[in-house]
Amino acid sequence: MKYTSKDSIMPSSTNIPDDWFEWEQSDKAQAEKVARPSLSYWNDAWKRLRKNKLAMTGLVFLIILIFLAIFGPILSPYEVNKSDLPNQYQEPSASHWFGTDSHGRDVFTRTWFGARISLFVGLMAALIDVSIGIIYGGIAGYKGGRTDNVMMRIIEILYGLPYLLVVILLLVVLGPSLTTIIVALTVTGWVGMARIVRGQVLQIKNYEFVLASRSFGTKTSRIIRRNLLPNSMGPIIVQMTLTVPSAIFAEAFLSFLGLGIQSPYASWGTMANDSLGAILSGNWWTLFFPAFFISFTMFAFNVLGDGLQDALDPKLRK
Amino acid sequence: MLRYILKRLLIMCITLWIIVTLTFVLMISIPGSPFNSDQSSNETVQANLEKFYNLDEPYYIQYFQYIKSVILFDFGPSIKQPNQTVNDLLGRGFPISFELGLITIIVAVISGIILGVIAALRHNGFVDYLAMGVAVFGISIPNFILATLLIQQLAVNAEWFPVATWSSPKHMVLPVLALATGPMAIIARLTRSTMLEVLTQDYIKMARAKGLSPWKIIFKHALRNALMPVVTIMGTLLAGILTGTFVIEQIFAIPGMGKYFVESINHRDYPVIMGTTVFYSVFLIMMLFLVDIAYGILDPRIKVHQKEGE
Amino acid sequence: MTNILEVEDLHVTFSTYGGTVKAVRGVTFSLKQGETLAIVGESGCGKSVTSNAIMRLIPNPPGKIDKGSIRFKGKDLMHETEKKMRSIRGVDISMIFQDPMTALNPTLTIGSQLMEGLREHHKVSPDKAKRKAIEMMELVGISNPAERLKQYPHQFSGGMRQRIVIAMALICEPELLIADEPTTALDVTIQAQILELFEKIQKVTGVSIILITHDLGVVANIADRIAVMYAGKIIEMGEKRDIFYRPQHPYTKGLLKSVPRLDLDGEKLTPIDGTPPDLFSPPKGCSFYARCPFAMKVCNKVYPVQTNITDSHHVACWLQDERAKQLQATLPIK
């Protein structure tokens, strides 16, 4: 086929002024200029996270929640554990924003105290999981070979243990308290985190930039600090955001079995369980507020975790 | 494949041994004797227990006796329910719990996969957002709260379904719904994300380039690969459903094993707690094992990988 | 000989978060029956997009064929229904992808993947399909085909898999085969074998081939004609000899200088400095302007007019203009 000349679309060459046909020193700086400004990994991730409306909703909710957990009780004139039986089951009103419970205690005040405990349980469990997981998974992944093999067998065995059954068993013996609940939740909870860290370390260890820095004789500790940790942070953070809600859920579940935080302290879980019956007698608010905050907190952490997963995934970087 | 199965079996046995040992250590570490504290157990029960657990023997003998009885599947008498053994309770309660769990898992898997596939095929469309909205809701709301809400709205207010018990299909709707929503949501999300990933694979492009029909591409090429990760989380989901039955049976007054288990925790009925824990652990670990085998059969790469490893 | 494929003024865009990428910006070429056309260019120049557009396999959204026409044996493919396109894909036009490791479904046997196209389009019996599959496996040089049909992709090496992919593409006896970087993911020795296989199947089946590659070395052996693409446009096209021995466009010359050659002893390899332009906002003038050692003022302002060096050799470069030729005397020292 003839490669037809396209004078119809292209400007005719005869219209072009002659003086345009002069050598021009092409601007090398311009040629080298990268098309778009390059962003650092974290800047880029933050930028993408900010575009995710759902994840941002979750993040804002959590910030408000933490603020209220700290300052909420101060705003309220009521004491958290003071019974006021004549005032039991008051509907939400100007004096009791969230109403009162079966002991006449102010649900608003108790909700923020509950937030402190539920969030504390969730965050501590996540923090401990991460600490053990990073050390264990990091060693297994970095050492590799036999060490890795043995360590992974141990993980495989622990992974088979039914998580909540073990937690229940531990709490039956240790007796439920804030400390024992966190201990019980983390005894087998770190296994998942360790697996993720190991996988990341194994993968990154073989990247060329790590090999390069090894070949320069960089110290192991420096490689771990400068290369391995920052580059495996993404999945670790995501896993952490997902550990918090599952720990909050586990605590609520344990409350249901009578193995949660014991009164007079209240987590959202204990508050909700104490009120499961009350809802049938029409006192919906005693269940609604703790249930709403459990659910919305789990929602917030889940969407934030999803958002972070997308934002931190280097594959999605364009 | 055989080597793979043997390896999994060995790991399974070690995990079981840890559980059994753990229950034993916990039993003997409970302050005082677990069987005679302030509990108002009668003397025959007391005698039965001491005989069963060989409480006058040294610990190592007790340990071996305990392991032996576990292997023989004999969990001894209950403290709180005189003349009943743990096995009696399991025999009565487990079939009901199993039925609840089985219906739940079937409902969760089918609806979760359908929801996930539809969401993936309508990626970023209205249906996708709707399905994922349902899924996020399902993951966020704890099952005991959902159960209470369902009872209040659909049973008490609307009177569509009975409030409690487990006697007819109509009775089963609310408990199954309460229990299946969480796992369904997890399956839907996972199916969607793996499906989306699979759909970008070269072999899908290749299948399109071959001129296959969309249905054939989805069912023959995409779904099978997309469901692999769903198979791997089945073990975790089963564990979740199983512990979920504790709560759901309690709320709906279903006379299953979960209800007995919660009661035994409240009454500190240690033989029942230990026996149920061991029984459920065996059950779950076996399920995990079956899931692993199923995965090995579904994914041809696993078999050969093992062969090459020999 | 007649043209089996005619592509004219093809424009393809992709809308992304960052804006609209103009991936292909007016590509025109044609392919004769039994011919091998190589489309050469660096990654991101739009060559794969062009091939996907011919198959109408541009994912929409985000991709869109904005305008242009694609005619296969005189039939307009641009406005065919999806259903009609399905009956063309695999039957009349087939495609091979870059990475044989991922182009085969890991959970299905080779046999089932080989036969499914045949069974979908020609509704043949399983027995007949199997015989045809074995025949194709033999053609692409896989020994013991009856046995190997039952195996899974991971049981084959990369080169073997690419042979299977080729067999898969050819099983319905298409007239046009589009091979998108078919050798890039393979070892050099395997590359040579696969290229030989292409020559062999072309001889046996008479299929026309569009070979998409970034590697001029691959092209040297089997292409009849070469189209050089840069930033979504074909900047030079001609017979293999024209491109290799009389390249006109500075970019083509640059490409040739950056290919290691055994026949030119002692010649230094020179890379092309700089990076291709941003296709979010492609330049108004010549897209190679920023990297071109011979850039003139006009190059930045107006896209160069097509010049026909011979009947088959075309180039889009202002250096072909008479006024530029007068400047040659003052050529800057490069």
Side-chain angles (χ1 to χ4, degrees), chain B residues 248-268:
Chain B
I248 297 301
E249 288 177 7
Q250 183 76 15
I251 292 178
F252 287 93
I254 297 167
M257 200 55 225
K259 188 162 170 288
Y260 295 138
F261 187 55
V262 176
E263 280 166 5
S264 73
I265 291 172
N266 288 330
H267 300 139
R268 297 293 188 270

Side-chain angles (χ1 to χ4, degrees), chain C residues 70-82:
Chain C
I70 299 164
R71 278 186 304 279
F72 175 74
K73 297 207 294 185
K75 263 184 306 189
D76 180 14
L77 294 189
M78 283 291 289
H79 302 103
E80 285 293 6
T81 60
E82 178 58 27

Side-chain angles (χ1 to χ4, degrees), chain B residues 124 201-214 216 220-222 224-225 228 298-305 308, chain C residues 55-57 82 86 89-90 93 95 97 99 102-108 112-114 116-117 120-121 152 154-155 165 168-169:
Chain B
N124 284 337
Q201 296 290 315
D202 273 356
Y203 56 81
I204 297 296
K205 272 194 239 162
M206 187 81 205
R208 292 185 66 200
K210 280 187 210 167
L212 299 187
S213 70
K216 204 154 195 178
K220 190 170 171 191
H221 285 274
R224 191 183 158 108
N225 293 288
M228 296 285 181
L298 277 175
D299 191 342
R301 280 166 297 189
I302 298 233
K303 279 182 240 167
V304 166
H305 180 73
E308 281 166 356
Chain C
M55 292 287 269
R56 284 260 308 276
L57 281 178
E82 178 58 27
R86 277 211 301 278
R89 289 184 201 131
I93 310 177
M95 200 159 170
F97 294 94
D99 190 355
T102 57
L104 292 167
N105 191 332
T107 59
L108 296 174
S112 108
Q113 295 185 64
L114 256 175
E116 68 181 347
E120 173 95 6
H121 297 297
Y152 289 93
H154 63 263
Q155 291 161 290
V165 171
M168 223 155 85

Side-chain angles (χ1 to χ4, degrees), chain B residues 58-286:
Chain B
Y59 282 147
Y60 71 92
I61 304 254
Q62 284 187 36
Y63 180 60
F64 285 115
Q65 290 293 337
Y66 179 64
I67 290 201
K68 198 178 118 194
S69 56
V70 167
I71 291 171
L72 296 173
F73 232 80
D74 178 5
F75 299 114
S78 157
I79 303 179
K80 291 294 154 186
Q81 317 227 16
N83 310 323
Q84 296 250 16
T85 64
V86 178
N87 285 1
D88 292 337
L89 289 177
L90 279 172
R92 219 161 355 114
F94 183 68
I96 296 176
S97 299
F98 185 76
E99 193 181 12
L100 171 62
L102 192 69
I103 298 175
T104 300
I105 197 100
I106 292 171
V107 169
V109 165
I110 293 177
S111 53
I113 288 174
I114 292 176
L115 216 56
V117 168
I118 294 176
L121 295 181
R122 295 272 172 276
H123 185 39
N124 284 337
F126 174 72
V127 185
D128 184 16
Y129 292 133
L130 189 75
M132 286 308 108
V134 171
V136 170
F137 169 81
I139 286 175
S140 304
I141 191 158
N143 48 22
F144 56 91
I145 289 174
L146 182 62
T148 317
L149 281 178
L150 288 173
I151 291 181
Q152 198 221 356
Q153 294 302 323
L154 302 184
V156 176
N157 286 358
E159 294 187 355
W160 290 348
F161 299 101
V163 175
T165 73
W166 186 253
S167 42
S168 74
K170 210 171 174 182
H171 285 81
M172 297 177 182
V173 174
L174 292 187
V176 167
L177 204 58
L179 196 51
T181 305
M184 177 207 73
I186 294 171
I187 293 173
R189 281 159 53 105
L190 190 64
T191 307
R192 172 180 177 269
S193 65
T194 51
M195 190 79 183
L196 282 177
E197 201 186 315
V198 166
L199 286 176
T200 64
Q201 296 290 315
D202 273 356
Y203 56 81
I204 297 296
K205 272 194 239 162
M206 187 81 205
R208 292 185 66 200
K210 280 187 210 167
L212 299 187
S213 70
W215 286 114
K216 204 154 195 178
I217 293 175
I218 290 163
F219 283 107
K220 190 170 171 191
H221 285 274
L223 197 55
R224 191 183 158 108
N225 293 288
L227 290 185
M228 296 285 181
V230 177
V231 174
T232 55
I233 63 152
M234 282 312 284
T236 324
L237 284 184
L238 276 171
I241 288 176
L242 193 139
T243 41
T245 58
F246 302 168
V247 173
I248 297 301
E249 288 177 7
Q250 183 76 15
I251 292 178
F252 287 93
I254 297 167
M257 200 55 225
K259 188 162 170 288
Y260 295 138
F261 187 55
V262 176
E263 280 166 5
S264 73
I265 291 172
N266 288 330
H267 300 139
R268 297 293 188 270
D269 191 344
Y270 293 105
V272 180
I273 298 178
M274 283 159 47
T276 315
T277 307
V278 170
F279 175 76
Y280 272 162
S281 303
V282 172
F283 179 75
L284 278 179
I285 289 167
M286 271 174 14

Side-chain angles (χ1 to χ4, degrees), chain A residues 1-7 9-28 30-36 51 318, chain C residues 3 17 28 30 237 274-275 278 280 289-292 294-298 301-306 308 311 314 318-319 321 323-324 327 330-332:
Chain A
M1 178 202 164
K2 284 266 154 39
Y3 200 94
T4 46
S5 151
K6 290 222 202 58
D7 287 344
I9 354 177
M10 304 281 175
S12 164
S13 58
T14 48
N15 299 336
I16 295 169
D18 285 359
D19 63 339
W20 284 12
F21 285 87
E22 274 171 22
W23 297 124
E24 194 171 69
Q25 207 51 48
S26 77
D27 187 355
K28 288 298 173 214
Q30 188 202 341
E32 290 297 342
K33 200 180 74 187
V34 180
R36 280 182 298 162
K51 276 190 189 161
K318 277 178 198 157
Chain C
N3 283 332
Y17 287 114
T28 303
S30 64
M237 176 149 78
T275 50
D278 181 5
F280 282 99
Y289 166 76
R291 298 167 78 184
C292 184
F294 308 107
M296 296 172 291
K297 274 183 184 165
V298 63
K301 292 179 170 128
V302 188
Y303 192 79
V305 178
Q306 181 83 52
N308 301 328
D311 270 358
H314 322 281
W318 281 122
L319 291 174
D321 194 279
R323 289 163 287 189
L327 270 178
T330 66
L331 195 70

